[in-house]
C-alpha cells in the first residue's frame, strides 16, 4: 500500500445535497479503486486562479488515500469521467502527514489585493530587469537610482516580498495623506461657507439677478 | 553603496526557515517565486538553493495544475 494525496475541485453549482453527495460519490470511486480514504478535508468554496469549464469558483476537497498504484489510475479515470469534478491532482507521498497540521491556504479574499500589489511591484521590477542588460544599460539605471534615491538600494538589498511590503506602506501613507488633505480643505471650505453664507446669501442672489438683468438690459439695448 | 548591495549573498528562504516545507498547497509562499505575469523567477533573483529551487518548481507546476496559481496573469483577467 502506498500513500497518496488527492486534491480535487468540485463544481460549486451542484444541485441537491451539494458537497456531501459529491464526497459520497468520490469515496465510492476510491473504494472501487481498492483504496481507502485515510483523511478528508474540505477547503470550501474558493476562487480559482483561472476559469475551469467557465467556473470562477470551485469547492476544494483534500483527501489522503491508501492504495496501490495501478488502481489509483482507475480513480483518476473516474475523476476524468465525472462532470461535476473540474480538476484533480493526485500525488504520491512517502509518509502520511499529521492530518491536523496539513496546510490549508488562505481564502481568495486576499487574491485581489495581492494582484494589485504585484502589478505595482512589476512596474518597479521592470527597472530592475533592465539593469543586467550589459554596459549600455547602466546609464539609464543610474538615472533611475538618482530619481528614486534610497528606495532602489532597498530593492537591491531586500528580497522581492519585503520590497512589496515597503511599497504597500508607501501607498498607504500616500492615500492617508491625500485623505487628510481632502478633509482639511473640506473643513476650510465649510468654514468659509459659514462666514460668507450669512452675509452673502441674499446678496449673491440679488447680485446674480442684477447681473442677469444688466446683461439682459445690455442685450436689449443692443437689439 | 550599491556595489555592496549587488554582491550581497542572498540566502535560500527554505534553508533559512526549515519549518516551512515546499508545498504546492502553500500558494501564498510560492507566489513570492513568481513574476507579475506568473513566470517562475530564476534562482539568481530569489536566492533559492539548487535543491529547493527544484522543489519550488514542481510545487508551482502542481499549484498551477489545480488552479491555486494562474498560468499567466492575462488568463486571470479574461
Ligand atoms: Zn535551500
Amino acid at each position: 500500500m502506498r500513500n497518496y494525496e488527492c486534491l480535487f475541485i468540485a463544481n460549486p453549482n451542484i444541485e441537491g445535497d451539494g458537497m456531501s453527495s459529491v464526497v459520497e460519490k468520490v469515496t465510492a470511486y476510491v473504494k472501487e479503486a481498492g483504496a481507502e480514504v485515510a483523511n478528508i478535508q474540505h477547503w470550501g468554496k474558493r476562487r480559482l486562479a483561472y476559469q475551469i469549464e467557465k467556473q470562477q469558483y470551485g469547492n476544494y476537497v483534500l483527501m489522503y488515500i491508501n492504495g496501490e498504484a495501478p488502481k489509483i489510475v482507475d480513480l483518476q479515470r473516474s475523476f476524468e469521467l465525472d462532470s461535476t469534478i473540474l480538476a484533480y491532482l493526485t500525488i504520491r507521498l512517502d509518509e502520511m502527514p499529521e492530518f491536523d497540521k496539513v496546510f490549508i491556504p488562505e481564502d481568495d479574499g486576499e487574491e485581489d489585493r495581492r494582484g494589485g500589489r504585484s502589478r505595482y511591484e512589476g512596474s518597479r521590477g521592470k527597472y530592475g530587469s533592465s539593469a543586467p542588460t550589459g554596459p549600455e544599460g547602466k546609464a539609464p539605471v543610474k538615472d533611475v537610482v538618482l530619481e528614486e534615491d534610497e528606495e532602489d538600494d532597498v530593492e537591491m538589498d531586500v528580497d522581492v516580498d519585503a520590497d512589496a511590503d515597503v511599497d504597500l506602506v508607501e501607498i498607504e501613507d500616500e492615500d492617508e495623506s491625500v485623505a487628510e488633505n481632502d478633509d482639511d480643505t473640506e473643513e476650510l471650505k465649510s468654514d468659509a461657507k459659514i462666514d460668507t453664507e450669512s452675509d452673502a446669501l441674499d446678496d449673491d442672489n440679488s447680485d446674480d439677478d442684477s447681473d442677469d438683468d444688466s446683461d439682459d438690459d445690455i442685450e436689449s439695448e443692443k437689439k | 553603496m550599491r556595489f555592496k548591495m549587488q554582491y550581497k549573498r542572498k540566502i535560500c528562504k527554505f534553508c533559512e526557515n526549515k519549518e516551512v516545507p515546499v508545498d504546492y498547497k502553500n500558494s501564498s509562499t510560492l507566489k513570492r517565486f513568481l513574476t507579475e505575469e506568473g513566470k517562475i523567477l530564476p534562482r539568481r533573483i530569489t536566492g533559492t538553493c539548487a535543491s529547493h529551487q527544484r522543489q519550488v518548481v514542481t510545487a508551482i507546476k502542481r499549484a498551477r495544475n489545480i488552479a491555486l496559481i494562474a498560468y499567466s496573469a492575462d488568463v486571470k483577467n479574461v
Side-chain angles (χ1 to χ4, degrees), chain B residues 11-16 18 47-53 55:
Chain B
I11 302 160
C12 170
K13 280 254 171 184
F14 293 102
C15 289
E16 213 174 22
K18 293 189 176 174
T48 316
C49 73
S51 69
H52 278 128
Q53 179 73 7
Q55 293 174 39

Side-chain angles (χ1 to χ4, degrees), chain B residues 56-73:
Chain B
V56 166
V57 166
T58 52
I60 286 171
K61 286 175 179 176
R62 283 170 177 173
R64 280 173 177 167
N65 193 348
I66 201 74
L68 293 173
I69 294 177
Y71 280 97
S72 80

